[in-house]
Amino acid sequence: MILYTPLSYEDVHYSEQDYQQYEIISFQSKPCCIQRLENGDMRIVQLLSTDPNDYLAEHFSPGTIIPSQENLQ
């Protein structure tokens, strides 16, 4: 099989170790894929919502840092 893509090999084929750094959590009642940082904070990688309006909210933008003290709902 040939896969034509502008992405690098590493972007298409993840290792198991790459998957272990991500988690699915509920942040402000919305499912998000996050990456835990060394200091305990979390970085939003992807919003997993079916509501298009959720994607307009800046606090759900990829790269947003969620402080470790913040209450998860």
Side-chain angles (χ1 to χ4, degrees), residues 16-57:
E16 186 173 325
Q17 183 181 15
D18 293 333
Y19 283 114
Q20 291 175 351
Q21 65 180 339
Y22 300 113
E23 295 178 47
I24 306 297
I25 64 162
S26 181
F27 173 61
Q28 296 184 357
S29 302
K30 306 293 180 191
C32 296
C33 178
I34 59 104
Q35 177 183 25
R36 292 216 181 256
L37 304 176
E38 292 177 6
N39 64 0
D41 293 347
M42 298 171 279
R43 176 183 292 127
I44 295 179
V45 176
Q46 183 179 14
L47 175 64
L48 305 170
S49 176
T50 56
D51 184 356
N53 290 321
D54 291 342
Y55 292 88
L56 300 175

